[in-house]
């Protein structure tokens, strides 16, 4: 499958008024395709740091730079795409089984991640060669 049909850029509604901005992300198919089970955020990462470098067998993610900017490279073993996250209204949906790297964090970057599952180290694939092998095996089924 082409990677363009796997990830999604989602523009959230802006409910702001003269008091300031408000962005809502509802799960379960309202704003994003999955039920939100977990949220975490990454900040204080240097511009030289590369985070992620893994794929998840089960978990789907939604990434938003609620402050500052970062880049995300997503890879399906055949194609890759780089997305710059730089607006609190902009979400990147990443389905399970895509390899991802997060990097180029601005000093003020706060990267919010919503996840469809609780944390489970066993569903992480942290070796890229393993990832390619698993993708190949799944494709051959
Ligand atoms: P890691 O997966 O390396 O973070 P990233 O994908 O951003 O590079 O996680 C760093 C540490 O935090 C690692 O010891 C696992 C732990 N962790 C949790 O306990 N729960 C979580 O939901 C996440 C994302 C990480």
């Amino acid at each position: 499958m082409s990677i363009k049909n796997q990830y999604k850029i989602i523009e959230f509604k802006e409910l702001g008024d003269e008091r300031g901005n408000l962005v809502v992300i509802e799960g379960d198919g309202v704003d994003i395709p999955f039920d939100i089970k977990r949220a975490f955020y990454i900040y204080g990462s240097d511009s030289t740091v590369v985070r992620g470098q893994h794929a998840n067998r089960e978990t789907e993610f939604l990434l938003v730079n609620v402050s500052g900017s970062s880049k995300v490279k997503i890879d399906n073993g055949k194609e890759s795409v780089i997305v710059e996250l730089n607006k609190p209204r902009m979400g990147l949906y990443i389905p399970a089984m895509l390899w991802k790297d997060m990097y180029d964090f601005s000093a003020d970057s706060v990267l919010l991640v919503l996840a469809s599952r609780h944390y489970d180290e066993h569903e992480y694939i942290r070796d890229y060669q393993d990832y390619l092998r698993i993708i190949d095996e799944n494709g051959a089924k």
Side-chain angles (χ1 to χ4, degrees):
M1 190 196 284
S2 163
I3 197 161
K4 294 218 156 47
N5 298 321
Q6 294 181 291
Y7 76 94
K8 271 195 218 96
I9 307 273
I10 303 174
E11 190 92 359
F12 300 113
K13 286 189 293 287
E14 173 68 76
L15 303 178
D17 54 29
E18 64 286 349
R19 297 169 301 163
N21 301 314
L22 174 69
V23 175
V24 180
I25 305 175
E26 296 226 29
D28 245 349
V30 178
D31 297 305
I32 62 174
F34 57 84
D35 192 14
I36 301 161
K37 290 263 174 56
R38 174 166 57 115
F40 57 95
Y41 42 96
I42 295 167
Y43 60 98
S45 284
D46 207 81
S47 62
T48 60
V49 162
V50 181
R51 301 197 59 123
Q53 301 193 286
H54 50 59
N56 294 73
R57 290 174 185 269
E58 306 281 349
T59 306
E60 301 163 68
F61 295 96
L62 189 283
L63 278 62
V64 184
N65 253 106
V66 292
S67 165
S69 63
S70 68
K71 293 198 180 89
V72 186
K73 182 178 173 201
I74 42 178
D75 179 343
N76 66 7
K78 297 188 178 67
E79 298 173 89
S80 65
V81 168
I82 295 170
V83 177
E84 178 165 359
L85 295 176
N86 55 15
K87 287 190 287 283
R89 285 182 58 185
M90 173 192 185
L92 171 63
Y93 166 74
I94 307 179
M97 280 309 282
L98 289 188
W99 189 268
K100 45 208 171 293
D101 296 331
M102 292 89 86
Y103 60 101
D104 250 3
F105 297 93
S106 65
D108 59 348
S109 173
V110 181
L111 178 60
L112 171 68
V113 182
L114 307 178
S116 65
R117 298 222 169 196
H118 295 295
Y119 181 71
D120 175 8
E121 181 55 37
H122 296 109
E123 62 120 7
Y124 278 70
I125 305 165
R126 292 189 182 272
D127 180 280
Y128 190 67
Q129 295 309 316
D130 280 352
Y131 170 70
L132 292 179
R133 189 176 44 73
I134 293 163
I135 289 282
D136 258 11
E137 284 169 6
N138 290 349
K141 271 183 198 158

